[in-house]
PDB file of all heavy atoms in Angstrom:
ATOM      1  N   ASP A  13      -3.798   3.764   3.353  1.00 97.00           N
ATOM      2  CA  ASP A  13      -3.538   4.810   4.437  1.00 97.00           C
ATOM      3  C   ASP A  13      -2.944   6.007   3.812  1.00 97.00           C
ATOM      4  O   ASP A  13      -3.236   7.167   4.292  1.00 97.00           O
ATOM      5  CB  ASP A  13      -2.662   4.208   5.510  1.00 97.00           C
ATOM      6  CG  ASP A  13      -3.413   3.121   6.306  1.00 97.00           C
ATOM      7  OD1 ASP A  13      -4.560   3.272   6.582  1.00 97.00           O
ATOM      8  OD2 ASP A  13      -2.722   2.100   6.607  1.00 97.00           O
ATOM      9  N   ARG A  14      -2.034   5.865   2.885  1.00 98.00           N
ATOM     10  CA  ARG A  14      -1.323   7.027   2.300  1.00 98.00           C
ATOM     11  C   ARG A  14      -0.937   6.758   0.834  1.00 98.00           C
ATOM     12  O   ARG A  14      -0.457   5.763   0.482  1.00 98.00           O
ATOM     13  CB  ARG A  14      -0.063   7.305   3.012  1.00 98.00           C
ATOM     14  CG  ARG A  14       0.818   8.464   2.580  1.00 98.00           C
ATOM     15  CD  ARG A  14       0.253   9.790   2.835  1.00 98.00           C
ATOM     16  NE  ARG A  14       0.017   9.980   4.254  1.00 98.00           N
ATOM     17  CZ  ARG A  14      -0.606  10.980   4.789  1.00 98.00           C
ATOM     18  NH1 ARG A  14      -1.140  11.913   4.055  1.00 98.00           N
ATOM     19  NH2 ARG A  14      -0.685  11.102   6.097  1.00 98.00           N
ATOM     20  N   GLU A  21       5.569   9.148 -10.664  1.00 98.00           N
ATOM     21  CA  GLU A  21       5.559   7.948  -9.760  1.00 98.00           C
ATOM     22  C   GLU A  21       4.488   8.110  -8.714  1.00 98.00           C
ATOM     23  O   GLU A  21       4.089   9.230  -8.317  1.00 98.00           O
ATOM     24  CB  GLU A  21       6.944   7.877  -9.059  1.00 98.00           C
ATOM     25  CG  GLU A  21       7.079   6.741  -8.136  1.00 98.00           C
ATOM     26  CD  GLU A  21       8.489   6.625  -7.532  1.00 98.00           C
ATOM     27  OE1 GLU A  21       9.295   7.582  -7.629  1.00 98.00           O
ATOM     28  OE2 GLU A  21       8.762   5.610  -6.881  1.00 98.00           O
ATOM     29  N   VAL A  22       4.039   6.937  -8.244  1.00 98.00           N
ATOM     30  CA  VAL A  22       3.131   6.888  -7.057  1.00 98.00           C
ATOM     31  C   VAL A  22       3.664   5.926  -6.093  1.00 98.00           C
ATOM     32  O   VAL A  22       4.206   4.887  -6.415  1.00 98.00           O
ATOM     33  CB  VAL A  22       1.691   6.328  -7.601  1.00 98.00           C
ATOM     34  CG1 VAL A  22       0.725   6.211  -6.473  1.00 98.00           C
ATOM     35  CG2 VAL A  22       1.092   7.191  -8.741  1.00 98.00           C
ATOM     36  N   VAL A  23       3.554   6.343  -4.809  1.00 98.00           N
ATOM     37  CA  VAL A  23       3.909   5.470  -3.666  1.00 98.00           C
ATOM     38  C   VAL A  23       2.788   5.278  -2.760  1.00 98.00           C
ATOM     39  O   VAL A  23       2.054   6.231  -2.398  1.00 98.00           O
ATOM     40  CB  VAL A  23       5.050   6.143  -2.838  1.00 98.00           C
ATOM     41  CG1 VAL A  23       5.455   5.263  -1.660  1.00 98.00           C
ATOM     42  CG2 VAL A  23       6.342   6.338  -3.768  1.00 98.00           C
ATOM     43  N   VAL A  24       2.460   4.024  -2.431  1.00 98.00           N
ATOM     44  CA  VAL A  24       1.321   3.709  -1.612  1.00 98.00           C
ATOM     45  C   VAL A  24       1.894   3.145  -0.286  1.00 98.00           C
ATOM     46  O   VAL A  24       2.780   2.254  -0.342  1.00 98.00           O
ATOM     47  CB  VAL A  24       0.270   2.784  -2.250  1.00 98.00           C
ATOM     48  CG1 VAL A  24       0.908   1.459  -2.696  1.00 98.00           C
ATOM     49  CG2 VAL A  24      -0.887   2.570  -1.280  1.00 98.00           C
ATOM     50  N   ILE A  25       1.419   3.585   0.852  1.00 98.00           N
ATOM     51  CA  ILE A  25       1.905   3.080   2.104  1.00 98.00           C
ATOM     52  C   ILE A  25       0.704   2.648   3.021  1.00 98.00           C
ATOM     53  O   ILE A  25      -0.251   3.396   3.055  1.00 98.00           O
ATOM     54  CB  ILE A  25       2.730   4.281   2.883  1.00 98.00           C
ATOM     55  CG1 ILE A  25       3.837   4.751   1.994  1.00 98.00           C
ATOM     56  CG2 ILE A  25       3.138   3.750   4.264  1.00 98.00           C
ATOM     57  CD1 ILE A  25       4.434   6.066   2.548  1.00 98.00           C
ATOM     58  N   ASP A  26       0.870   1.518   3.583  1.00 97.00           N
ATOM     59  CA  ASP A  26      -0.195   1.055   4.425  1.00 97.00           C
ATOM     60  C   ASP A  26       0.477   0.864   5.888  1.00 97.00           C
ATOM     61  O   ASP A  26       1.426   0.192   5.997  1.00 97.00           O
ATOM     62  CB  ASP A  26      -0.754  -0.247   3.986  1.00 97.00           C
ATOM     63  CG  ASP A  26      -2.185  -0.491   4.474  1.00 97.00           C
ATOM     64  OD1 ASP A  26      -3.032   0.379   4.201  1.00 97.00           O
ATOM     65  OD2 ASP A  26      -2.442  -1.477   5.137  1.00 97.00           O
ATOM     66  N   TYR A  27      -0.147   1.531   6.850  1.00 97.00           N
ATOM     67  CA  TYR A  27       0.399   1.451   8.216  1.00 97.00           C
ATOM     68  C   TYR A  27      -0.113   0.239   8.966  1.00 97.00           C
ATOM     69  O   TYR A  27      -1.352  -0.036   8.845  1.00 97.00           O
ATOM     70  CB  TYR A  27      -0.062   2.707   9.019  1.00 97.00           C
ATOM     71  CG  TYR A  27       0.361   4.047   8.362  1.00 97.00           C
ATOM     72  CD1 TYR A  27      -0.665   4.948   8.018  1.00 97.00           C
ATOM     73  CD2 TYR A  27       1.636   4.354   8.047  1.00 97.00           C
ATOM     74  CE1 TYR A  27      -0.344   6.142   7.488  1.00 97.00           C
ATOM     75  CE2 TYR A  27       1.953   5.551   7.412  1.00 97.00           C
ATOM     76  CZ  TYR A  27       0.973   6.442   7.148  1.00 97.00           C
ATOM     77  OH  TYR A  27       1.277   7.629   6.571  1.00 97.00           O
ATOM     78  N   LYS A  28       0.705  -0.384   9.708  1.00 97.00           N
ATOM     79  CA  LYS A  28       0.299  -1.547  10.576  1.00 97.00           C
ATOM     80  C   LYS A  28       0.834  -1.159  11.955  1.00 97.00           C
ATOM     81  O   LYS A  28       1.927  -0.872  12.125  1.00 97.00           O
ATOM     82  CB  LYS A  28       0.933  -2.831  10.048  1.00 97.00           C
ATOM     83  CG  LYS A  28       0.396  -3.221   8.656  1.00 97.00           C
ATOM     84  CD  LYS A  28      -1.138  -3.297   8.568  1.00 97.00           C
ATOM     85  CE  LYS A  28      -1.618  -3.656   7.190  1.00 97.00           C
ATOM     86  NZ  LYS A  28      -3.017  -3.485   7.031  1.00 97.00           N
ATOM     87  N   TYR A  37      -1.244  -8.871   4.504  1.00 97.00           N
ATOM     88  CA  TYR A  37      -0.929  -7.433   4.403  1.00 97.00           C
ATOM     89  C   TYR A  37      -0.195  -7.139   3.049  1.00 97.00           C
ATOM     90  O   TYR A  37      -0.488  -6.161   2.390  1.00 97.00           O
ATOM     91  CB  TYR A  37      -0.078  -7.001   5.523  1.00 97.00           C
ATOM     92  CG  TYR A  37      -0.596  -7.120   6.907  1.00 97.00           C
ATOM     93  CD1 TYR A  37       0.216  -7.195   7.994  1.00 97.00           C
ATOM     94  CD2 TYR A  37      -1.958  -7.174   7.167  1.00 97.00           C
ATOM     95  CE1 TYR A  37      -0.269  -7.288   9.284  1.00 97.00           C
ATOM     96  CE2 TYR A  37      -2.522  -7.300   8.417  1.00 97.00           C
ATOM     97  CZ  TYR A  37      -1.612  -7.350   9.543  1.00 97.00           C
ATOM     98  OH  TYR A  37      -2.151  -7.465  10.715  1.00 97.00           O
ATOM     99  N   VAL A  41      -1.578  -4.684  -0.146  1.00 98.00           N
ATOM    100  CA  VAL A  41      -0.783  -3.606  -0.768  1.00 98.00           C
ATOM    101  C   VAL A  41      -0.547  -3.920  -2.284  1.00 98.00           C
ATOM    102  O   VAL A  41      -0.572  -3.057  -3.130  1.00 98.00           O
ATOM    103  CB  VAL A  41       0.599  -3.341  -0.038  1.00 98.00           C
ATOM    104  CG1 VAL A  41       1.411  -2.407  -0.799  1.00 98.00           C
ATOM    105  CG2 VAL A  41       0.276  -2.820   1.371  1.00 98.00           C
ATOM    106  N   SER A  42      -0.306  -5.207  -2.599  1.00 97.00           N
ATOM    107  CA  SER A  42      -0.231  -5.605  -4.038  1.00 97.00           C
ATOM    108  C   SER A  42      -1.505  -5.239  -4.874  1.00 97.00           C
ATOM    109  O   SER A  42      -1.403  -4.796  -5.962  1.00 97.00           O
ATOM    110  CB  SER A  42       0.055  -7.055  -4.130  1.00 97.00           C
ATOM    111  OG  SER A  42       1.263  -7.462  -3.665  1.00 97.00           O
ATOM    112  N   TYR A  44      -3.435  -2.701  -4.111  1.00 96.00           N
ATOM    113  CA  TYR A  44      -3.355  -1.234  -4.264  1.00 96.00           C
ATOM    114  C   TYR A  44      -2.400  -0.858  -5.447  1.00 96.00           C
ATOM    115  O   TYR A  44      -2.672   0.012  -6.285  1.00 96.00           O
ATOM    116  CB  TYR A  44      -2.822  -0.551  -3.002  1.00 96.00           C
ATOM    117  CG  TYR A  44      -3.674  -0.715  -1.799  1.00 96.00           C
ATOM    118  CD1 TYR A  44      -3.109  -0.560  -0.522  1.00 96.00           C
ATOM    119  CD2 TYR A  44      -5.026  -1.006  -1.843  1.00 96.00           C
ATOM    120  CE1 TYR A  44      -3.860  -0.726   0.618  1.00 96.00           C
ATOM    121  CE2 TYR A  44      -5.825  -1.119  -0.727  1.00 96.00           C
ATOM    122  CZ  TYR A  44      -5.222  -0.979   0.563  1.00 96.00           C
ATOM    123  OH  TYR A  44      -5.991  -1.120   1.709  1.00 96.00           O
ATOM    124  N   ILE A  45      -1.249  -1.535  -5.464  1.00 97.00           N
ATOM    125  CA  ILE A  45      -0.205  -1.287  -6.450  1.00 97.00           C
ATOM    126  C   ILE A  45      -0.786  -1.528  -7.825  1.00 97.00           C
ATOM    127  O   ILE A  45      -0.712  -0.703  -8.802  1.00 97.00           O
ATOM    128  CB  ILE A  45       1.039  -2.124  -6.217  1.00 97.00           C
ATOM    129  CG1 ILE A  45       1.783  -1.661  -4.962  1.00 97.00           C
ATOM    130  CG2 ILE A  45       1.965  -2.088  -7.415  1.00 97.00           C
ATOM    131  CD1 ILE A  45       2.877  -2.627  -4.539  1.00 97.00           C
ATOM    132  N   LYS A  55       4.771   4.461 -12.689  1.00 98.00           N
ATOM    133  CA  LYS A  55       5.487   3.564 -11.826  1.00 98.00           C
ATOM    134  C   LYS A  55       4.895   3.634 -10.439  1.00 98.00           C
ATOM    135  O   LYS A  55       4.742   4.727  -9.872  1.00 98.00           O
ATOM    136  CB  LYS A  55       6.980   3.926 -11.795  1.00 98.00           C
ATOM    137  CG  LYS A  55       7.773   3.025 -10.842  1.00 98.00           C
ATOM    138  CD  LYS A  55       9.157   3.529 -10.769  1.00 98.00           C
ATOM    139  CE  LYS A  55       9.897   2.651  -9.719  1.00 98.00           C
ATOM    140  NZ  LYS A  55      10.961   3.284  -9.112  1.00 98.00           N
ATOM    141  N   VAL A  56       4.603   2.484  -9.815  1.00 98.00           N
ATOM    142  CA  VAL A  56       4.015   2.439  -8.485  1.00 98.00           C
ATOM    143  C   VAL A  56       4.837   1.604  -7.531  1.00 98.00           C
ATOM    144  O   VAL A  56       5.203   0.407  -7.915  1.00 98.00           O
ATOM    145  CB  VAL A  56       2.556   1.915  -8.517  1.00 98.00           C
ATOM    146  CG1 VAL A  56       1.888   1.866  -7.130  1.00 98.00           C
ATOM    147  CG2 VAL A  56       1.682   2.719  -9.468  1.00 98.00           C
ATOM    148  N   SER A  57       5.181   2.121  -6.348  1.00 98.00           N
ATOM    149  CA  SER A  57       5.893   1.420  -5.368  1.00 98.00           C
ATOM    150  C   SER A  57       4.919   1.294  -4.137  1.00 98.00           C
ATOM    151  O   SER A  57       4.129   2.203  -3.899  1.00 98.00           O
ATOM    152  CB  SER A  57       7.096   2.162  -4.874  1.00 98.00           C
ATOM    153  OG  SER A  57       8.020   2.366  -5.970  1.00 98.00           O
ATOM    154  N   GLY A  58       5.084   0.183  -3.423  1.00 98.00           N
ATOM    155  CA  GLY A  58       4.235  -0.025  -2.245  1.00 98.00           C
ATOM    156  C   GLY A  58       5.011  -0.447  -1.065  1.00 98.00           C
ATOM    157  O   GLY A  58       6.023  -1.173  -1.157  1.00 98.00           O
ATOM    158  N   TYR A  59       4.572   0.003   0.113  1.00 98.00           N
ATOM    159  CA  TYR A  59       5.340  -0.307   1.336  1.00 98.00           C
ATOM    160  C   TYR A  59       4.286  -0.578   2.493  1.00 98.00           C
ATOM    161  O   TYR A  59       3.182  -0.017   2.567  1.00 98.00           O
ATOM    162  CB  TYR A  59       6.139   0.881   1.790  1.00 98.00           C
ATOM    163  CG  TYR A  59       7.280   1.185   0.808  1.00 98.00           C
ATOM    164  CD1 TYR A  59       6.967   2.051  -0.181  1.00 98.00           C
ATOM    165  CD2 TYR A  59       8.467   0.567   0.907  1.00 98.00           C
ATOM    166  CE1 TYR A  59       7.961   2.423  -1.079  1.00 98.00           C
ATOM    167  CE2 TYR A  59       9.459   0.887  -0.041  1.00 98.00           C
ATOM    168  CZ  TYR A  59       9.213   1.756  -1.026  1.00 98.00           C
ATOM    169  OH  TYR A  59      10.237   2.048  -1.943  1.00 98.00           O
ATOM    170  N   LEU A  60       4.742  -1.436   3.342  1.00 98.00           N
ATOM    171  CA  LEU A  60       4.036  -1.650   4.652  1.00 98.00           C
ATOM    172  C   LEU A  60       4.948  -0.928   5.704  1.00 98.00           C
ATOM    173  O   LEU A  60       6.194  -1.156   5.663  1.00 98.00           O
ATOM    174  CB  LEU A  60       3.982  -3.120   4.984  1.00 98.00           C
ATOM    175  CG  LEU A  60       2.945  -3.923   4.187  1.00 98.00           C
ATOM    176  CD1 LEU A  60       3.175  -5.378   4.344  1.00 98.00           C
ATOM    177  CD2 LEU A  60       1.557  -3.560   4.716  1.00 98.00           C
ATOM    178  N   TRP A  61       4.392  -0.188   6.518  1.00 97.00           N
ATOM    179  CA  TRP A  61       5.125   0.462   7.595  1.00 97.00           C
ATOM    180  C   TRP A  61       4.547  -0.077   8.909  1.00 97.00           C
ATOM    181  O   TRP A  61       3.458   0.234   9.238  1.00 97.00           O
ATOM    182  CB  TRP A  61       5.006   1.944   7.545  1.00 97.00           C
ATOM    183  CG  TRP A  61       5.797   2.672   8.650  1.00 97.00           C
ATOM    184  CD1 TRP A  61       6.824   2.126   9.398  1.00 97.00           C
ATOM    185  CD2 TRP A  61       5.595   3.975   9.122  1.00 97.00           C
ATOM    186  NE1 TRP A  61       7.303   3.091  10.261  1.00 97.00           N
ATOM    187  CE2 TRP A  61       6.439   4.170  10.189  1.00 97.00           C
ATOM    188  CE3 TRP A  61       4.652   4.944   8.833  1.00 97.00           C
ATOM    189  CZ2 TRP A  61       6.542   5.342  10.884  1.00 97.00           C
ATOM    190  CZ3 TRP A  61       4.733   6.133   9.589  1.00 97.00           C
ATOM    191  CH2 TRP A  61       5.648   6.304  10.556  1.00 97.00           C
ATOM    192  N   TYR A  62       5.385  -0.879   9.578  1.00 96.00           N
ATOM    193  CA  TYR A  62       5.054  -1.361  10.868  1.00 96.00           C
ATOM    194  C   TYR A  62       5.439  -0.350  11.898  1.00 96.00           C
ATOM    195  O   TYR A  62       6.654  -0.100  12.191  1.00 96.00           O
ATOM    196  CB  TYR A  62       5.761  -2.718  11.190  1.00 96.00           C
ATOM    197  CG  TYR A  62       5.301  -3.836  10.276  1.00 96.00           C
ATOM    198  CD1 TYR A  62       5.784  -4.050   9.052  1.00 96.00           C
ATOM    199  CD2 TYR A  62       4.128  -4.554  10.645  1.00 96.00           C
ATOM    200  CE1 TYR A  62       5.268  -5.019   8.194  1.00 96.00           C
ATOM    201  CE2 TYR A  62       3.606  -5.585   9.794  1.00 96.00           C
ATOM    202  CZ  TYR A  62       4.175  -5.804   8.576  1.00 96.00           C
ATOM    203  OH  TYR A  62       3.716  -6.828   7.779  1.00 96.00           O
ATOM    204  N   GLU A  67       9.454  -0.215  11.249  1.00 95.00           N
ATOM    205  CA  GLU A  67      10.051  -1.040  10.175  1.00 95.00           C
ATOM    206  C   GLU A  67       9.284  -0.787   8.908  1.00 95.00           C
ATOM    207  O   GLU A  67       8.084  -0.906   8.878  1.00 95.00           O
ATOM    208  CB  GLU A  67      10.000  -2.495  10.601  1.00 95.00           C
ATOM    209  CG  GLU A  67      10.604  -3.387   9.566  1.00 95.00           C
ATOM    210  CD  GLU A  67      10.438  -4.877   9.984  1.00 95.00           C
ATOM    211  OE1 GLU A  67       9.887  -5.120  11.072  1.00 95.00           O
ATOM    212  OE2 GLU A  67      10.914  -5.781   9.272  1.00 95.00           O
ATOM    213  N   LYS A  68      10.017  -0.575   7.871  1.00 96.00           N
ATOM    214  CA  LYS A  68       9.446  -0.369   6.533  1.00 96.00           C
ATOM    215  C   LYS A  68       9.751  -1.559   5.667  1.00 96.00           C
ATOM    216  O   LYS A  68      10.884  -1.981   5.576  1.00 96.00           O
ATOM    217  CB  LYS A  68      10.027   0.882   5.836  1.00 96.00           C
ATOM    218  CG  LYS A  68       9.509   1.116   4.380  1.00 96.00           C
ATOM    219  CD  LYS A  68      10.213   2.342   3.816  1.00 96.00           C
ATOM    220  CE  LYS A  68      11.567   1.987   3.376  1.00 96.00           C
ATOM    221  NZ  LYS A  68      12.260   2.991   2.589  1.00 96.00           N
ATOM    222  N   VAL A  69       8.733  -2.189   5.036  1.00 96.00           N
ATOM    223  CA  VAL A  69       8.929  -3.361   4.169  1.00 96.00           C
ATOM    224  C   VAL A  69       8.348  -3.040   2.802  1.00 96.00           C
ATOM    225  O   VAL A  69       7.176  -2.645   2.671  1.00 96.00           O
ATOM    226  CB  VAL A  69       8.105  -4.574   4.807  1.00 96.00           C
ATOM    227  CG1 VAL A  69       8.240  -5.753   3.873  1.00 96.00           C
ATOM    228  CG2 VAL A  69       8.646  -4.867   6.168  1.00 96.00           C
ATOM    229  N   GLU A  70       9.182  -3.201   1.805  1.00 97.00           N
ATOM    230  CA  GLU A  70       8.736  -2.974   0.402  1.00 97.00           C
ATOM    231  C   GLU A  70       7.906  -4.139  -0.069  1.00 97.00           C
ATOM    232  O   GLU A  70       8.285  -5.286   0.167  1.00 97.00           O
ATOM    233  CB  GLU A  70       9.906  -2.779  -0.486  1.00 97.00           C
ATOM    234  CG  GLU A  70       9.507  -2.407  -1.924  1.00 97.00           C
ATOM    235  CD  GLU A  70      10.639  -2.012  -2.858  1.00 97.00           C
ATOM    236  OE1 GLU A  70      11.777  -2.166  -2.481  1.00 97.00           O
ATOM    237  OE2 GLU A  70      10.361  -1.545  -3.948  1.00 97.00           O
ATOM    238  N   VAL A  71       6.851  -3.803  -0.680  1.00 97.00           N
ATOM    239  CA  VAL A  71       5.965  -4.864  -1.254  1.00 97.00           C
ATOM    240  C   VAL A  71       6.134  -4.889  -2.755  1.00 97.00           C
ATOM    241  O   VAL A  71       5.982  -3.799  -3.407  1.00 97.00           O
ATOM    242  CB  VAL A  71       4.478  -4.605  -0.914  1.00 97.00           C
ATOM    243  CG1 VAL A  71       3.579  -5.641  -1.629  1.00 97.00           C
ATOM    244  CG2 VAL A  71       4.283  -4.597   0.609  1.00 97.00           C
ATOM    245  N   VAL A  72       6.430  -6.028  -3.286  1.00 92.00           N
ATOM    246  CA  VAL A  72       6.634  -6.138  -4.805  1.00 92.00           C
ATOM    247  C   VAL A  72       5.320  -6.579  -5.373  1.00 92.00           C
ATOM    248  O   VAL A  72       4.751  -7.570  -4.952  1.00 92.00           O
ATOM    249  CB  VAL A  72       7.763  -7.129  -5.129  1.00 92.00           C
ATOM    250  CG1 VAL A  72       7.873  -7.296  -6.606  1.00 92.00           C
ATOM    251  CG2 VAL A  72       9.039  -6.736  -4.508  1.00 92.00           C
TER     252      VAL A  72
END
Side-chain angles (χ1 to χ4, degrees):
D13 292 321
R14 176 75 59 191
E21 182 179 10
V22 177
V23 177
V24 60
I25 303 167
D26 206 57
Y27 306 121
K28 298 300 178 191
Y37 299 156
V41 174
S42 290
Y44 298 157
I45 291 169
K55 176 185 175 205
V56 180
S57 302
Y59 297 91
L60 288 163
W61 179 23
Y62 293 90
E67 180 182 2
K68 177 182 78 171
V69 177
E70 184 172 10
V71 176
V72 178

